[in-house]
Amino acid sequence: MLPPASALATTTSGFLLVLSIAIPVAGILLAFTLGDRYVRQVALAVVPLGLAIAGAILLAVPQGGGLIVYLLGAWSPPLGVALRADGLSAVMLATTAIVICVVAVFATTDFRPASDARTSFAFWILLLAVWAALNMIFVGGDLFTLYVALELLTFAAVPLVSLDGRAETLQAALRYLVFALLGSVLYLLGAALLYGFYGTLDMVLMSRVVSAQPGVLIAVALMTIGLLAKTALFPLHLWLPSAHAGAPAAASAILSGLVVKGSFFILLRLWFDVIPGLPSFAAAQFLAALGTGAIVIGSVVALRQERLKLLVAYSTLAQIGYLFLMFPLAVNAVGQLETGQALAAGLLQTISHATAKAAMFLAVGSIYTELGHDRITGLGGAARVLPLSVLTFAVGGLALMGVQPSGAAFAKELLLQEAMRTGQWWWAAVLHAGGMFTTAYVLLVLAFALAPSDQPIAPIQTALPRRDLAALALATCSLLLGLVPWEPYLPISHDVMPKLFSRDGLAKLLLSVLGGATLAILLNPWRHPLAASSGWKAMGKVLEPLRRICFRFGDLVDKADSILRQWAAAGISLLLLGLALAVLMFAAN
């Protein structure tokens, strides 16, 4: 990731890194100066400029040998602060800029000063603040800069949850804030311990001297658990469903698509850049096991939701779990983390989820706006009345399912290759099961949306087509990510793409679709509009005993989820996970 030999001097294009942070910040200051009447115009002027800067960085990284650097004040670390961007930074900067642009286009009709000046002003300011904080995370070169950026991201994201001012959204925002601050305290404690040992928090300098001392292992465990709390990895998802489901559509797209990626990206920097030799094979397996729990719990609960937005929110919990399957697959024969195909697959999955899930939340927002509800069982006829919104949801869902040539399909194939290469077949089984679960809740929604309605359905409000077209473009991007030439930025072999369209690749997709359809029938408790037909009745008689077993299993998962989202259970989980991770690292070192 970050080559240490060339990371301590400013490079030719280094000023672009400063601009990536300064431009959104300048937009915030200008908006405060001009007032709420012009905040939307300022934000919409900043958005294309920020996108151009992200594109320039994307082009500059390969030309700079895979790394561009800027030393603030021309002071080298450890006295100064360095901004750095490698291939991972470049693609995350570009992804963030694209998602921000689409959300801005979508939000132009929802957040207008003429309709609600206060809410509109808050949204556009917070949108730019989230962008600036994320860019700082992606280019930050030391652990304290990342901490500052992470806190700025939290304080910008929390108000997005409660923009409408309702009591339940205020409560969700408070839960998010308190739990995120708890994660921040753990991260900061770990960073302070590392600084006490080495006198620097610069990632390149620290990677040269870090060793398996007891204090260092404790620091790494604290920082890791703090970041997991902010990422909302199971079972530390106390805040995620209510926060993502209660926010406005544009805010939910930002929260689910981008905000949780900030803390995950810092975790990648910590484990792969700073301490690649310290995490044990058992610790990596532990993270992937938590990811597996997220996939199962999040998917099962998603299949039982009455509201579409809550389904997509719990889908986010499940997809976050996917990101952690890369860790054990990145451990080499001597127990060190390698920056190889497993890491590339994790980043591809991150990008695919960011684009697809943001598009799906925007589509759900359009459906809610035009129908006045988002009840899954009440979506009959929606595909005829709201074709663009349903198409956007479908395309985003197909991208998440891993339909070729999506980024998720590319990432899954890379992870499966690594699982077979390293002999970790159990993670290949998890990957296939996760694909089936994803297919299940996507097919469930489409089955209701494509079914005929019992009575005439008419939109209560007509949205502008540009909103849906922008969201559809973002979903299409996710579906075509596998066609992007990633080699200048990520360590990907050239033989993966042909395998996606091979007979084996199509067989895997068919297995995922058939398995997902079966899970959707067995696990969801809702009656489909076509259930009265003779074919459905015959199939229902055959599957009814199995459905009852699955329904009871779903009840148990629902109860477990409700318990884990209580403060006492979340606090105990945080403590136990921290202890378990520390023990695993101590045992290996």
mmCIF file of all heavy atoms in Angstrom, residues 170-213:
data_model
loop_
_atom_site.group_PDB
_atom_site.id
_atom_site.type_symbol
_atom_site.label_atom_id
_atom_site.label_comp_id
_atom_site.label_asym_id
_atom_site.label_seq_id
_atom_site.Cartn_x
_atom_site.Cartn_y
_atom_site.Cartn_z
ATOM 1 N N LEU A 170 -34.143 11.893 16.490
ATOM 2 C CA LEU A 170 -33.247 12.492 17.477
ATOM 3 C C LEU A 170 -32.684 11.425 18.411
ATOM 4 O O LEU A 170 -31.496 11.452 18.773
ATOM 5 C CB LEU A 170 -33.984 13.562 18.283
ATOM 6 C CG LEU A 170 -34.340 14.844 17.529
ATOM 7 C CD1 LEU A 170 -35.249 15.724 18.382
ATOM 8 C CD2 LEU A 170 -33.071 15.620 17.147
ATOM 9 N N GLN A 171 -33.518 10.477 18.803
ATOM 10 C CA GLN A 171 -33.046 9.387 19.646
ATOM 11 C C GLN A 171 -32.023 8.531 18.906
ATOM 12 O O GLN A 171 -30.998 8.125 19.479
ATOM 13 C CB GLN A 171 -34.222 8.524 20.092
ATOM 14 C CG GLN A 171 -33.841 7.413 21.057
ATOM 15 C CD GLN A 171 -35.036 6.568 21.462
ATOM 16 O OE1 GLN A 171 -36.051 6.550 20.774
ATOM 17 N NE2 GLN A 171 -34.924 5.879 22.577
ATOM 18 N N ALA A 172 -32.288 8.243 17.623
ATOM 19 C CA ALA A 172 -31.339 7.461 16.830
ATOM 20 C C ALA A 172 -30.009 8.195 16.679
ATOM 21 O O ALA A 172 -28.940 7.582 16.760
ATOM 22 C CB ALA A 172 -31.942 7.171 15.455
ATOM 23 N N ALA A 173 -30.073 9.511 16.484
ATOM 24 C CA ALA A 173 -28.845 10.293 16.360
ATOM 25 C C ALA A 173 -28.048 10.283 17.661
ATOM 26 O O ALA A 173 -26.812 10.200 17.650
ATOM 27 C CB ALA A 173 -29.175 11.729 15.950
ATOM 28 N N LEU A 174 -28.749 10.355 18.789
ATOM 29 C CA LEU A 174 -28.060 10.337 20.083
ATOM 30 C C LEU A 174 -27.389 8.985 20.324
ATOM 31 O O LEU A 174 -26.261 8.924 20.832
ATOM 32 C CB LEU A 174 -29.059 10.647 21.195
ATOM 33 C CG LEU A 174 -28.470 10.774 22.609
ATOM 34 C CD1 LEU A 174 -27.450 11.904 22.663
ATOM 35 C CD2 LEU A 174 -29.581 11.022 23.621
ATOM 36 N N ARG A 175 -28.073 7.898 19.964
ATOM 37 C CA ARG A 175 -27.458 6.572 20.089
ATOM 38 C C ARG A 175 -26.197 6.483 19.246
ATOM 39 O O ARG A 175 -25.161 5.954 19.685
ATOM 40 C CB ARG A 175 -28.453 5.490 19.644
ATOM 41 C CG ARG A 175 -29.593 5.255 20.606
ATOM 42 C CD ARG A 175 -30.716 4.475 19.942
ATOM 43 N NE ARG A 175 -30.331 3.115 19.618
ATOM 44 C CZ ARG A 175 -30.505 2.076 20.426
ATOM 45 N NH1 ARG A 175 -31.033 2.250 21.628
ATOM 46 N NH2 ARG A 175 -30.175 0.863 20.051
ATOM 47 N N TYR A 176 -26.289 6.975 18.028
ATOM 48 C CA TYR A 176 -25.141 6.978 17.125
ATOM 49 C C TYR A 176 -23.986 7.784 17.722
ATOM 50 O O TYR A 176 -22.836 7.319 17.764
ATOM 51 C CB TYR A 176 -25.584 7.544 15.776
ATOM 52 C CG TYR A 176 -24.511 7.634 14.715
ATOM 53 C CD1 TYR A 176 -23.300 6.978 14.836
ATOM 54 C CD2 TYR A 176 -24.730 8.393 13.568
ATOM 55 C CE1 TYR A 176 -22.332 7.065 13.840
ATOM 56 C CE2 TYR A 176 -23.780 8.486 12.570
ATOM 57 C CZ TYR A 176 -22.577 7.825 12.719
ATOM 58 O OH TYR A 176 -21.623 7.914 11.746
ATOM 59 N N LEU A 177 -24.287 8.967 18.220
ATOM 60 C CA LEU A 177 -23.252 9.846 18.755
ATOM 61 C C LEU A 177 -22.536 9.221 19.950
ATOM 62 O O LEU A 177 -21.308 9.180 20.001
ATOM 63 C CB LEU A 177 -23.871 11.193 19.154
ATOM 64 C CG LEU A 177 -22.929 12.192 19.836
ATOM 65 C CD1 LEU A 177 -21.812 12.596 18.886
ATOM 66 C CD2 LEU A 177 -23.708 13.419 20.297
ATOM 67 N N VAL A 178 -23.310 8.726 20.914
ATOM 68 C CA VAL A 178 -22.708 8.179 22.128
ATOM 69 C C VAL A 178 -21.851 6.954 21.817
ATOM 70 O O VAL A 178 -20.713 6.830 22.298
ATOM 71 C CB VAL A 178 -23.802 7.840 23.157
ATOM 72 C CG1 VAL A 178 -23.203 7.127 24.365
ATOM 73 C CG2 VAL A 178 -24.515 9.111 23.609
ATOM 74 N N PHE A 179 -22.371 6.050 20.989
ATOM 75 C CA PHE A 179 -21.608 4.835 20.702
ATOM 76 C C PHE A 179 -20.383 5.156 19.844
ATOM 77 O O PHE A 179 -19.307 4.555 20.029
ATOM 78 C CB PHE A 179 -22.504 3.824 19.983
ATOM 79 C CG PHE A 179 -22.043 2.401 20.158
ATOM 80 C CD1 PHE A 179 -22.050 1.809 21.403
ATOM 81 C CD2 PHE A 179 -21.613 1.651 19.077
ATOM 82 C CE1 PHE A 179 -21.644 0.499 21.574
ATOM 83 C CE2 PHE A 179 -21.199 0.345 19.235
ATOM 84 C CZ PHE A 179 -21.212 -0.243 20.491
ATOM 85 N N ALA A 180 -20.524 6.093 18.919
ATOM 86 C CA ALA A 180 -19.374 6.485 18.104
ATOM 87 C C ALA A 180 -18.297 7.146 18.954
ATOM 88 O O ALA A 180 -17.093 6.927 18.742
ATOM 89 C CB ALA A 180 -19.827 7.429 16.990
ATOM 90 N N LEU A 181 -18.704 7.969 19.923
ATOM 91 C CA LEU A 181 -17.720 8.600 20.804
ATOM 92 C C LEU A 181 -17.012 7.563 21.670
ATOM 93 O O LEU A 181 -15.820 7.704 21.973
ATOM 94 C CB LEU A 181 -18.401 9.650 21.676
ATOM 95 C CG LEU A 181 -18.852 10.921 20.964
ATOM 96 C CD1 LEU A 181 -19.536 11.869 21.944
ATOM 97 C CD2 LEU A 181 -17.675 11.618 20.295
ATOM 98 N N LEU A 182 -17.715 6.524 22.072
ATOM 99 C CA LEU A 182 -17.080 5.445 22.819
ATOM 100 C C LEU A 182 -16.002 4.773 21.959
ATOM 101 O O LEU A 182 -14.895 4.492 22.438
ATOM 102 C CB LEU A 182 -18.134 4.423 23.244
ATOM 103 C CG LEU A 182 -17.650 3.244 24.090
ATOM 104 C CD1 LEU A 182 -16.985 3.731 25.372
ATOM 105 C CD2 LEU A 182 -18.809 2.309 24.417
ATOM 106 N N GLY A 183 -16.311 4.540 20.707
ATOM 107 C CA GLY A 183 -15.304 4.001 19.799
ATOM 108 C C GLY A 183 -14.136 4.945 19.624
ATOM 109 O O GLY A 183 -12.977 4.510 19.549
ATOM 110 N N SER A 184 -14.409 6.239 19.587
ATOM 111 C CA SER A 184 -13.338 7.233 19.444
ATOM 112 C C SER A 184 -12.397 7.220 20.645
ATOM 113 O O SER A 184 -11.173 7.351 20.499
ATOM 114 C CB SER A 184 -13.936 8.628 19.274
ATOM 115 O OG SER A 184 -14.735 8.698 18.125
ATOM 116 N N VAL A 185 -12.960 7.076 21.840
ATOM 117 C CA VAL A 185 -12.136 7.034 23.058
ATOM 118 C C VAL A 185 -11.189 5.845 23.002
ATOM 119 O O VAL A 185 -9.992 5.963 23.322
ATOM 120 C CB VAL A 185 -13.037 6.975 24.307
ATOM 121 C CG1 VAL A 185 -12.203 6.679 25.552
ATOM 122 C CG2 VAL A 185 -13.779 8.290 24.479
ATOM 123 N N LEU A 186 -11.686 4.684 22.597
ATOM 124 C CA LEU A 186 -10.842 3.495 22.508
ATOM 125 C C LEU A 186 -9.736 3.689 21.476
ATOM 126 O O LEU A 186 -8.574 3.331 21.708
ATOM 127 C CB LEU A 186 -11.696 2.278 22.147
ATOM 128 C CG LEU A 186 -12.737 1.854 23.194
ATOM 129 C CD1 LEU A 186 -13.576 0.700 22.675
ATOM 130 C CD2 LEU A 186 -12.073 1.487 24.503
ATOM 131 N N TYR A 187 -10.089 4.268 20.331
ATOM 132 C CA TYR A 187 -9.081 4.523 19.303
ATOM 133 C C TYR A 187 -8.012 5.482 19.820
ATOM 134 O O TYR A 187 -6.803 5.252 19.625
ATOM 135 C CB TYR A 187 -9.750 5.089 18.049
ATOM 136 C CG TYR A 187 -8.777 5.429 16.937
ATOM 137 C CD1 TYR A 187 -8.464 4.489 15.966
ATOM 138 C CD2 TYR A 187 -8.174 6.676 16.865
ATOM 139 C CE1 TYR A 187 -7.573 4.783 14.947
ATOM 140 C CE2 TYR A 187 -7.270 6.985 15.856
ATOM 141 C CZ TYR A 187 -6.983 6.037 14.899
ATOM 142 O OH TYR A 187 -6.089 6.334 13.908
ATOM 143 N N LEU A 188 -8.435 6.555 20.482
ATOM 144 C CA LEU A 188 -7.486 7.551 20.955
ATOM 145 C C LEU A 188 -6.573 6.983 22.049
ATOM 146 O O LEU A 188 -5.382 7.292 22.094
ATOM 147 C CB LEU A 188 -8.231 8.777 21.481
ATOM 148 C CG LEU A 188 -7.378 9.986 21.863
ATOM 149 C CD1 LEU A 188 -6.554 10.469 20.675
ATOM 150 C CD2 LEU A 188 -8.256 11.119 22.383
ATOM 151 N N LEU A 189 -7.115 6.129 22.918
ATOM 152 C CA LEU A 189 -6.285 5.488 23.936
ATOM 153 C C LEU A 189 -5.193 4.637 23.289
ATOM 154 O O LEU A 189 -4.025 4.672 23.701
ATOM 155 C CB LEU A 189 -7.156 4.625 24.853
ATOM 156 C CG LEU A 189 -7.999 5.353 25.899
ATOM 157 C CD1 LEU A 189 -8.905 4.365 26.630
ATOM 158 C CD2 LEU A 189 -7.115 6.089 26.896
ATOM 159 N N GLY A 190 -5.583 3.882 22.273
ATOM 160 C CA GLY A 190 -4.595 3.076 21.572
ATOM 161 C C GLY A 190 -3.546 3.921 20.876
ATOM 162 O O GLY A 190 -2.349 3.603 20.918
ATOM 163 N N ALA A 191 -3.977 5.013 20.245
ATOM 164 C CA ALA A 191 -3.016 5.902 19.576
ATOM 165 C C ALA A 191 -2.061 6.535 20.583
ATOM 166 O O ALA A 191 -0.858 6.680 20.311
ATOM 167 C CB ALA A 191 -3.766 6.977 18.798
ATOM 168 N N ALA A 192 -2.568 6.907 21.760
ATOM 169 C CA ALA A 192 -1.708 7.486 22.791
ATOM 170 C C ALA A 192 -0.660 6.477 23.261
ATOM 171 O O ALA A 192 0.515 6.836 23.491
ATOM 172 C CB ALA A 192 -2.560 7.962 23.968
ATOM 173 N N LEU A 193 -1.050 5.216 23.415
ATOM 174 C CA LEU A 193 -0.089 4.182 23.804
ATOM 175 C C LEU A 193 0.998 4.022 22.744
ATOM 176 O O LEU A 193 2.195 3.910 23.072
ATOM 177 C CB LEU A 193 -0.815 2.858 24.013
ATOM 178 C CG LEU A 193 -1.619 2.703 25.309
ATOM 179 C CD1 LEU A 193 -2.402 1.392 25.286
ATOM 180 C CD2 LEU A 193 -0.695 2.746 26.517
ATOM 181 N N LEU A 194 0.610 4.001 21.490
ATOM 182 C CA LEU A 194 1.604 3.874 20.422
ATOM 183 C C LEU A 194 2.558 5.062 20.398
ATOM 184 O O LEU A 194 3.773 4.898 20.187
ATOM 185 C CB LEU A 194 0.904 3.724 19.072
ATOM 186 C CG LEU A 194 0.151 2.407 18.827
ATOM 187 C CD1 LEU A 194 -0.503 2.423 17.453
ATOM 188 C CD2 LEU A 194 1.095 1.224 18.945
ATOM 189 N N TYR A 195 2.016 6.251 20.615
ATOM 190 C CA TYR A 195 2.886 7.430 20.633
ATOM 191 C C TYR A 195 3.865 7.357 21.807
ATOM 192 O O TYR A 195 5.030 7.763 21.692
ATOM 193 C CB TYR A 195 2.053 8.706 20.733
ATOM 194 C CG TYR A 195 2.881 9.962 20.620
ATOM 195 C CD1 TYR A 195 3.325 10.415 19.387
ATOM 196 C CD2 TYR A 195 3.253 10.679 21.755
ATOM 197 C CE1 TYR A 195 4.102 11.556 19.276
ATOM 198 C CE2 TYR A 195 4.033 11.819 21.663
ATOM 199 C CZ TYR A 195 4.450 12.252 20.419
ATOM 200 O OH TYR A 195 5.231 13.377 20.317
ATOM 201 N N GLY A 196 3.406 6.845 22.940
ATOM 202 C CA GLY A 196 4.305 6.690 24.079
ATOM 203 C C GLY A 196 5.444 5.736 23.801
ATOM 204 O O GLY A 196 6.565 5.912 24.320
ATOM 205 N N PHE A 197 5.213 4.735 22.977
ATOM 206 C CA PHE A 197 6.258 3.769 22.662
ATOM 207 C C PHE A 197 7.237 4.284 21.614
ATOM 208 O O PHE A 197 8.445 4.055 21.716
ATOM 209 C CB PHE A 197 5.634 2.456 22.163
ATOM 210 C CG PHE A 197 5.192 1.539 23.254
ATOM 211 C CD1 PHE A 197 3.853 1.432 23.577
ATOM 212 C CD2 PHE A 197 6.110 0.781 23.971
ATOM 213 C CE1 PHE A 197 3.427 0.579 24.585
ATOM 214 C CE2 PHE A 197 5.695 -0.066 24.986
ATOM 215 C CZ PHE A 197 4.348 -0.171 25.297
ATOM 216 N N TYR A 198 6.737 4.977 20.608
ATOM 217 C CA TYR A 198 7.573 5.274 19.444
ATOM 218 C C TYR A 198 7.783 6.763 19.189
ATOM 219 O O TYR A 198 8.584 7.125 18.325
ATOM 220 C CB TYR A 198 6.970 4.623 18.193
ATOM 221 C CG TYR A 198 6.839 3.129 18.338
ATOM 222 C CD1 TYR A 198 5.588 2.523 18.395
ATOM 223 C CD2 TYR A 198 7.965 2.322 18.450
ATOM 224 C CE1 TYR A 198 5.462 1.158 18.545
ATOM 225 C CE2 TYR A 198 7.852 0.945 18.602
ATOM 226 C CZ TYR A 198 6.594 0.368 18.654
ATOM 227 O OH TYR A 198 6.467 -0.986 18.815
ATOM 228 N N GLY A 199 7.092 7.647 19.882
ATOM 229 C CA GLY A 199 7.310 9.079 19.705
ATOM 230 C C GLY A 199 6.828 9.612 18.377
ATOM 231 O O GLY A 199 7.169 10.734 17.999
ATOM 232 N N THR A 200 6.052 8.856 17.641
ATOM 233 C CA THR A 200 5.495 9.298 16.369
ATOM 234 C C THR A 200 4.235 8.500 16.081
ATOM 235 O O THR A 200 4.081 7.375 16.554
ATOM 236 C CB THR A 200 6.490 9.102 15.209
ATOM 237 O OG1 THR A 200 5.899 9.584 13.988
ATOM 238 C CG2 THR A 200 6.857 7.640 15.035
ATOM 239 N N LEU A 201 3.327 9.090 15.314
ATOM 240 C CA LEU A 201 2.138 8.389 14.846
ATOM 241 C C LEU A 201 2.093 8.324 13.324
ATOM 242 O O LEU A 201 1.096 7.897 12.746
ATOM 243 C CB LEU A 201 0.867 9.067 15.375
ATOM 244 C CG LEU A 201 0.636 8.925 16.887
ATOM 245 C CD1 LEU A 201 -0.580 9.731 17.327
ATOM 246 C CD2 LEU A 201 0.466 7.460 17.277
ATOM 247 N N ASP A 202 3.203 8.765 12.679
ATOM 248 C CA ASP A 202 3.271 8.667 11.226
ATOM 249 C C ASP A 202 3.291 7.191 10.831
ATOM 250 O O ASP A 202 4.089 6.397 11.353
ATOM 251 C CB ASP A 202 4.520 9.366 10.707
ATOM 252 C CG ASP A 202 4.575 9.368 9.192
ATOM 253 O OD1 ASP A 202 3.921 10.233 8.584
ATOM 254 O OD2 ASP A 202 5.257 8.482 8.626
ATOM 255 N N MET A 203 2.446 6.811 9.917
ATOM 256 C CA MET A 203 2.287 5.395 9.599
ATOM 257 C C MET A 203 3.527 4.797 8.962
ATOM 258 O O MET A 203 3.897 3.653 9.249
ATOM 259 C CB MET A 203 1.066 5.208 8.698
ATOM 260 C CG MET A 203 -0.254 5.440 9.417
ATOM 261 S SD MET A 203 -1.701 5.005 8.428
ATOM 262 C CE MET A 203 -1.713 6.341 7.234
ATOM 263 N N VAL A 204 4.203 5.540 8.109
ATOM 264 C CA VAL A 204 5.392 5.013 7.457
ATOM 265 C C VAL A 204 6.524 4.832 8.462
ATOM 266 O O VAL A 204 7.173 3.780 8.505
ATOM 267 C CB VAL A 204 5.824 5.943 6.305
ATOM 268 C CG1 VAL A 204 7.197 5.547 5.780
ATOM 269 C CG2 VAL A 204 4.799 5.910 5.185
ATOM 270 N N LEU A 205 6.756 5.836 9.294
ATOM 271 C CA LEU A 205 7.817 5.734 10.291
ATOM 272 C C LEU A 205 7.520 4.630 11.301
ATOM 273 O O LEU A 205 8.421 3.878 11.703
ATOM 274 C CB LEU A 205 7.990 7.073 11.014
ATOM 275 C CG LEU A 205 8.493 8.249 10.173
ATOM 276 C CD1 LEU A 205 8.603 9.498 11.026
ATOM 277 C CD2 LEU A 205 9.837 7.918 9.533
ATOM 278 N N MET A 206 6.282 4.518 11.707
ATOM 279 C CA MET A 206 5.937 3.519 12.709
ATOM 280 C C MET A 206 6.056 2.106 12.150
ATOM 281 O O MET A 206 6.460 1.168 12.857
ATOM 282 C CB MET A 206 4.519 3.766 13.224
ATOM 283 C CG MET A 206 4.178 2.971 14.473
ATOM 284 S SD MET A 206 2.536 3.354 15.091
ATOM 285 C CE MET A 206 2.754 5.092 15.434
ATOM 286 N N SER A 207 5.703 1.924 10.892
ATOM 287 C CA SER A 207 5.769 0.581 10.305
ATOM 288 C C SER A 207 7.184 0.031 10.295
ATOM 289 O O SER A 207 7.377 -1.187 10.258
ATOM 290 C CB SER A 207 5.211 0.605 8.879
ATOM 291 O OG SER A 207 6.032 1.387 8.031
ATOM 292 N N ARG A 208 8.196 0.920 10.359
ATOM 293 C CA ARG A 208 9.590 0.483 10.338
ATOM 294 C C ARG A 208 10.080 -0.003 11.699
ATOM 295 O O ARG A 208 11.051 -0.749 11.775
ATOM 296 C CB ARG A 208 10.487 1.634 9.870
ATOM 297 C CG ARG A 208 10.193 2.127 8.469
ATOM 298 C CD ARG A 208 11.036 3.350 8.147
ATOM 299 N NE ARG A 208 10.788 3.830 6.785
ATOM 300 C CZ ARG A 208 11.343 4.920 6.267
ATOM 301 N NH1 ARG A 208 12.170 5.649 7.021
ATOM 302 N NH2 ARG A 208 11.074 5.288 5.039
ATOM 303 N N VAL A 209 9.413 0.429 12.774
ATOM 304 C CA VAL A 209 9.930 0.136 14.110
ATOM 305 C C VAL A 209 8.958 -0.630 14.988
ATOM 306 O O VAL A 209 9.325 -1.076 16.080
ATOM 307 C CB VAL A 209 10.336 1.444 14.838
ATOM 308 C CG1 VAL A 209 11.464 2.134 14.098
ATOM 309 C CG2 VAL A 209 9.130 2.390 14.974
ATOM 310 N N VAL A 210 7.713 -0.812 14.576
ATOM 311 C CA VAL A 210 6.716 -1.437 15.419
ATOM 312 C C VAL A 210 7.105 -2.880 15.705
ATOM 313 O O VAL A 210 7.645 -3.590 14.844
ATOM 314 C CB VAL A 210 5.323 -1.363 14.774
ATOM 315 C CG1 VAL A 210 5.240 -2.259 13.552
ATOM 316 C CG2 VAL A 210 4.240 -1.708 15.774
ATOM 317 N N SER A 211 6.865 -3.324 16.929
ATOM 318 C CA SER A 211 7.192 -4.686 17.346
ATOM 319 C C SER A 211 6.093 -5.203 18.263
ATOM 320 O O SER A 211 5.253 -4.437 18.750
ATOM 321 C CB SER A 211 8.548 -4.732 18.054
ATOM 322 O OG SER A 211 8.533 -3.911 19.204
ATOM 323 N N ALA A 212 6.149 -6.500 18.520
ATOM 324 C CA ALA A 212 5.084 -7.163 19.275
ATOM 325 C C ALA A 212 5.291 -7.032 20.778
ATOM 326 O O ALA A 212 5.402 -8.032 21.494
ATOM 327 C CB ALA A 212 5.006 -8.624 18.875
ATOM 328 N N GLN A 213 5.336 -5.808 21.274
ATOM 329 C CA GLN A 213 5.390 -5.580 22.712
ATOM 330 C C GLN A 213 3.976 -5.675 23.283
ATOM 331 O O GLN A 213 2.999 -5.382 22.597
ATOM 332 C CB GLN A 213 5.974 -4.209 23.006
ATOM 333 C CG GLN A 213 7.361 -3.973 22.427
ATOM 334 C CD GLN A 213 7.840 -2.566 22.697
ATOM 335 O OE1 GLN A 213 7.935 -2.154 23.854
ATOM 336 N NE2 GLN A 213 8.155 -1.827 21.642
#
